[in-house]
Structure formats: structure tokens, C-alpha cells
Amino acid sequence: MTTYGSFPGTRPRRLRTTPAMRRMVAETRLHPADLILPAFVREGVSEPVPIEAMPGVVQHTRDSLKKAAAEAVAAGVSGIMLFGVPEESRKDAVGTPGTDPDGILQVALRDVRAEVGDDLLVMSDLCLDETTDHGHCGVLDEQGRVDNDATLERYAEMAQVQADAGAHIVGPSGMMDGQIGVVRDALDQIGREDVAILAYTAKYASAFYGPFREAVGSSLKGDRKTYQQDPANVRESMRELALDLEEGADLVMVKPAGPYLDILARVADSVDVPVVAYQISGEYSMIEAAAEKGWIDRDRAILEALTGIKRAGARNILTYWATEVAQRLGAAQWVRRAQ
């Protein structure tokens, strides 16, 4: 006699029998509005420059960036995060292009806002690493160490010029103590209470940033372990989270995404603001490289990785596949292959 509530009466596989059944009971769904496109714009180039370590990603020209932004809008992507790559000769010890109203990032912000208006959230990376000749995220002291408080002064100025250039959201990514409060004050001082702050709350000193450094033409000497977080730590992230919220963060981020899903879940369970995760360059490049070798199914791997990040608690995901995935999410072929 069958005893219901245990096998053979209970058969969870009944809810996995067909793609339609699996779609109906799926607990986690990706939507184009979940996605944010990181994009690089390079000064002084007439054609997009492919990034060797990130197949399919380029350093944009101003014109190709505007086209990419328009494509993101059409696909239903929520935002675009801009990173400026100045000419090498313009870099200096204090990252002057980062506060020059005519620096490449500020020019690109104006370009994209003119192209898409408010149809796409235009976000700006607020950091000095792309603009300094030493490649660090802040100003160095006489001993070559990143000077936290001197760097905050530069961040305040950057926030104001980025807001003036059209950023809806600024993303302080340098992991300086007190950066969120200083940026909030700087924005409010110029009457830009409307500009939101995406806090890079848990940004780890990760080996997976490698391809990104090619993407931004990094001049880094040494490493960033004195300001980015130790991959071994969890409580440190929760402390950073509390501080960022106290200082006025509107959204909080975990970066990288895939190797830190436990951190992402902890953060998501602890806050009532939107949680963002950044699927970084190394995560992207590993899937692309393995797919190129024929070792994995590219489309399924992309969707699986993004679904895992969403399942762990991310409200939004920065991913270099944002526009592609958004375009394909509604396609029956994509859904069938993923299931």
C-alpha cells in the first residue's frame, strides 16, 4: 500500500517533466530590466578597439558608444555603466582627466545622455584608477601608499563633474573609507540630491579582474590589497555595508559576483535597498574562452551563471552580456535551450 508523503507517492520529478512545466514552476526569472551594461570608451580612437582578453567586448569610440547605448535601450536593459580610458599622455599622479569637464568620461556621459535621455540609467565609474599614471584608485602619499583622505577630496570633485555631465547614478568604486558620505555631501552641495549613489560595498581584491585591466589600459604598479577587501572575510563586508548605508548609499554592490554568492546572499538578506552584483571581466572571459574551445555550451552557461547571481539575491546585475541576453530572453529558442 502506498504511503503518501514519501516515495513512491511523492515524486518531485513530476515538476520537471517538460520545458513548459519547468518554466511554470521556476523560482527565479531573469528580465532585461535586471541587467546593466558596463561599457568602455577610449579617447582618441576612430574605430572600436577589440579587447583581446574579453572576446566580443571593445573600447568604444564616442559614436559606437552612443550606438551601444541605443541598442541597450531597445533591448530593455536598465542601465549603462561608463568607464573612460584617457590617452596615456593625459594621465598623471592625481588623475586629472577624472575631474576635467572635457575628460573622456565626462564627454561620454554627455554623449550618452544626449542620445538616450532618461530612457536608460546612465551610470559613471567614480574612481581614479583609469586616470592615474600609477594605476591606483587614489592619490599616493610620499611613501607610495594610497592616501585615503586626500583621495576623498578628489572623489568629491569627480562626483560633481560627473553629475554635471549627466550621470543619473555615480558608482564610487575605490573602497576608500568614508567615500559614500563625502560623495553624498559633494552632490548635495551643488543641488544634485537627485543623483543616486551605487556603493561598491563589498569589492574584493580578486584575481578575476585581470581582463578589465586591459580594458581600461591600467597603469597599475603593485596591487590594491590595502583598500580592496580580503577574499577570506565575510564580517568585513557586513561592516562595510552598515557604514555605506549610514553614509547614504542608495544601492549597494557585491563585486565580483560568481565567486562571492555567499556574500551576495548575506547582503541581500540584510538590507532594504536594491542589491547589485557585478559579473566581472574574469567571469565573462572564462565562459567565453571555454565556449571557444568547445568545452561548454556558451548560451546555457551564460544564462546559468546569471540565474545563479539573481537567485543569490541580486536585484540587478552588471554583465558584459547585458544587451545580448536582454535581446534573447524573450526568444523561445533561448529559453528552450536553457531548459
Side-chain angles (χ1 to χ4, degrees), residues 62 81 90 118-119 122 137 161 179 200 207 209 227 230 262 276 281:
R62 291 173 60 186
M81 173 66 81
R90 295 186 186 274
D118 293 331
D119 292 338
V122 181
C137 297
V161 298
Q179 63 184 12
Y200 282 59
Y209 295 132
Y227 45 103
D230 186 337
D262 59 324
V276 182
S281 59

Side-chain angles (χ1 to χ4, degrees), residues 286-306:
M286 286 192 301
I287 289 177
E288 289 287 354
E292 184 181 358
K293 291 283 190 180
W295 294 340
I296 60 173
D297 182 316
R298 176 184 181 274
D299 292 353
R300 288 185 62 194
I302 291 170
L303 197 59
E304 183 176 342
L306 291 172

Side-chain angles (χ1 to χ4, degrees), residues 12 27 57-58 64 75 112-113 150 183 194 196 245 255 260-261 264 280 288 311 332:
E27 299 172 32
V57 180
V58 301
S64 70
V112 174
R113 278 301 301 272
V183 167
D194 58 322
L245 292 174
K255 179 181 181 182
Y260 296 90
L261 295 181
L264 178 57
I280 67 170
E288 289 287 354
R311 186 185 64 243

Side-chain angles (χ1 to χ4, degrees), residues 16-317:
R16 306 172 197 156
T17 52
T18 68
M21 178 69 81
R22 294 191 292 274
R23 285 197 301 274
M24 185 180 77
V25 301
E27 299 172 32
T28 304
R29 301 182 192 277
L30 284 171
H31 187 277
D34 298 335
L35 306 177
I36 298 166
L37 177 68
F40 308 100
V41 57
R42 180 171 169 178
E43 186 176 25
V45 294
S46 57
E47 297 290 337
V49 179
I51 300 168
E52 184 177 357
M54 300 177 68
V57 180
V58 301
Q59 294 172 326
H60 284 286
T61 66
R62 291 173 60 186
D63 286 340
S64 70
L65 178 65
K66 290 188 289 185
K67 181 180 178 182
E71 289 175 348
V73 171
V77 170
S78 282
I80 186 168
M81 173 66 81
L82 301 185
F83 297 86
V85 184
E87 293 185 4
E88 195 69 25
S89 61
R90 295 186 186 274
K91 296 181 181 182
D92 59 23
V94 297
T96 297
T99 50
D100 180 353
D102 294 321
I104 183 59
L105 179 54
Q106 287 70 252
V107 170
L109 287 167
R110 291 195 292 270
D111 285 344
V112 174
R113 278 301 301 272
E115 183 72 22
V116 301
D118 293 331
D119 292 338
L120 187 70
L121 288 171
V122 181
M123 309 178 182
S124 56
D125 179 55
L126 200 165
C127 196
L128 290 170
D129 59 322
E130 296 105 64
T131 59
T132 52
D133 54 13
H134 47 73
H136 278 285
C137 297
V139 178
L140 303 185
D141 63 18
E142 293 179 356
Q143 286 74 46
R145 302 169 300 189
V146 174
D147 185 326
N148 190 94
D149 295 4
T151 298
L152 294 181
E153 295 179 15
R154 299 289 294 134
Y155 285 4
E157 189 176 353
M158 290 181 75
Q160 292 175 341
V161 298
Q162 290 178 0
D164 286 342
H168 293 102
I169 300 174
V170 295
S173 61
M175 292 301 292
M176 297 297 118
D177 295 340
Q179 63 184 12
I180 302 304
V182 166
V183 167
R184 183 72 271 158
D185 286 346
L187 292 169
D188 292 353
Q189 285 171 16
I190 61 169
R192 297 309 307 272
E193 296 88 353
D194 58 322
V195 175
I197 299 176
L198 168 58
Y200 282 59
T201 293
K203 183 178 180 181
Y204 284 88
S206 173
F208 292 94
Y209 295 132
F212 179 88
R213 290 175 183 158
E214 178 191 342
V216 297
S218 175
S219 305
L220 181 64
K221 301 176 178 66
D223 59 49
R224 300 187 173 117
K225 293 180 180 179
T226 63
Y227 45 103
Q228 293 179 355
Q229 291 175 221
D230 186 337
N233 292 350
V234 177
R235 291 184 181 87
E236 185 178 22
S237 294
M238 304 312 291
R239 185 184 187 197
E240 292 277 5
L241 175 64
L243 292 168
D244 284 351
L245 292 174
E246 182 181 348
E247 292 174 26
D250 299 290
L251 311 94
V252 296
M253 182 192 287
V254 174
K255 179 181 181 182
Y260 296 90
L261 295 181
D262 59 324
I263 307 300
L264 178 57
R266 284 278 295 270
V267 169
D269 286 344
S270 302
V271 301
D272 57 3
V273 300
V275 176
V276 182
Y278 196 149
Q279 185 186 54
I280 67 170
S281 59
E283 299 175 74
Y284 172 93
S285 296
M286 286 192 301
I287 289 177
E288 289 287 354
E292 184 181 358
K293 291 283 190 180
W295 294 340
I296 60 173
D297 182 316
R298 176 184 181 274
D299 292 353
R300 288 185 62 194
I302 291 170
L303 197 59
E304 183 176 342
L306 291 172
T307 301
I309 296 166
K310 181 77 181 293
R311 186 185 64 243
R315 180 63 188 84
N316 298 99
I317 305 169

